[in-house]
Amino acid sequence: MFGRRARSEEDTVVAVLAAALRRDISFGVLRPDQKLKIEALRQTYGGSNHSMRETLRMLSAEGLVEATAQRGFRVTSATEDDLRDILFMRLEVERLGLRLGLQRSDVQWEGRVLAAHHALRRTEEALLKEANDALALDWDMACRSFAAVLVEAAQSPRLSDMQLKFYDQSRRFRLALLREGRLDFTARAQQQQALVEAVLARNTNAAVAALETYVTGDMMTGTRSV
């Protein structure tokens, strides 16, 4: 009993540490390729050596941290090639999930898509009025929820897990574009609306095409909707 309680407490600590490091990697506080020394991280974020090591292993599985043989951990790189590869994998998963979802979905799923889209639009409107880190996180989570609901009707937990993994790997790039003022929110709103309309019309080809536009945006100009 006590062993289970200790394990549960340790899992909670790791979850809290992972959320903090995930946030700071996403916002660029922990920079791409930065070495992550456990003792230095403990001084900033707390936790034990064991819990911090477990945290870094978790983030390594998510693709945000890289474990190198004999060299410890570092934040994964964030080059343009990295982004292209992440978007390639994300699109492969999300296209498949959306196609399957449109075959297997019901009216309740349509309601969840509409609700997620509504929440996303509200957070984008709030962010345009007052940009701060708290609203940026709310917006990013709304983007994440909208992306996730589009594939959940595929009824494949493993596919959904992969979708979230690649989405999370792309968030550093999206938040960097937000900080630099390089996101076109008018274009994003139009892309989201086109995607939702195609989904509700059960037009698979149009929905997949709209998804591709929304996820990739314009890679060359820096107004990417990632």
Side-chain angles (χ1 to χ4, degrees):
M1 177 178 178
F2 292 110
R4 289 197 298 272
R5 179 182 298 174
R7 181 59 184 173
S8 177
E9 291 174 352
E10 180 73 9
D11 289 344
T12 300
V13 170
V14 169
V16 170
L17 291 172
L21 267 70
R22 197 181 289 119
R23 176 198 64 222
D24 285 353
I25 290 172
S26 297
F27 276 103
V29 176
L30 297 173
R31 305 293 299 172
D33 298 311
Q34 179 177 333
K35 291 183 179 180
L36 299 173
K37 298 182 178 180
I38 290 178
E39 185 56 38
L41 291 174
R42 284 185 59 208
Q43 292 178 12
T44 302
Y45 299 97
S48 65
N49 281 342
H50 176 73
S51 61
M52 185 57 72
R53 189 172 294 278
E54 288 299 306
T55 298
L56 293 173
R57 286 172 178 160
M58 176 187 293
L59 296 179
S60 179
E62 295 176 9
L64 297 177
V65 167
E66 181 178 321
T68 56
Q70 307 301 321
R71 296 185 181 180
F73 297 91
R74 68 177 180 87
V75 179
T76 54
S77 61
T79 66
E80 196 71 19
D81 286 342
D82 291 323
L83 174 59
R84 291 179 188 276
D85 193 40
I86 292 166
L87 292 180
F88 168 74
M89 290 303 302
R90 181 181 164 190
L91 267 177
E92 289 297 303
V93 172
E94 293 192 13
R95 278 189 292 232
L96 175 59
L98 185 57
R99 287 185 183 278
L100 289 174
L102 285 168
Q103 295 173 16
R104 301 172 179 177
S105 61
D106 54 22
V107 69
Q108 285 77 23
W109 174 70
E110 293 180 2
R112 292 194 295 275
V113 170
L114 285 171
H117 178 233
H118 178 71
L120 176 53
R121 291 299 307 131
R122 284 295 186 90
T123 59
E124 291 194 341
E125 290 167 2
L127 192 60
L128 285 171
K129 292 178 181 178
E130 181 186 359
N132 57 56
D133 285 355
L135 284 175
L137 281 176
D138 289 344
W139 168 72
D140 182 68
M141 290 306 298
C143 291
R144 190 177 193 265
S145 297
F146 181 61
V149 77
L150 291 172
V151 305
E152 72 174 28
Q155 301 172 33
S156 171
R158 291 172 179 81
L159 186 147
S160 290
D161 285 346
M162 288 183 66
Q163 184 273 326
L164 289 176
K165 175 179 178 178
F166 293 120
Y167 176 90
D168 287 346
Q169 289 181 21
S170 75
R171 73 194 328 164
R172 285 187 291 175
F173 302 91
R174 183 172 47 260
L175 288 168
L177 293 176
L178 175 66
R179 290 195 305 271
E180 296 163 9
R182 292 197 291 150
L183 286 176
D184 186 340
F185 282 97
T186 299
R188 286 180 60 85
Q190 294 170 348
Q191 292 161 6
Q192 292 160 15
Q193 187 63 38
L195 176 53
V196 170
E197 289 177 359
V199 165
L200 295 180
R202 301 304 179 99
N203 186 330
T204 300
N205 289 337
V208 170
L211 175 70
E212 292 172 355
T213 299
Y214 176 60
V215 170
T216 60
D218 187 346
M219 293 290 294
M220 301 308 295
T221 64
T223 56
R224 301 178 293 261
S225 296
V226 300

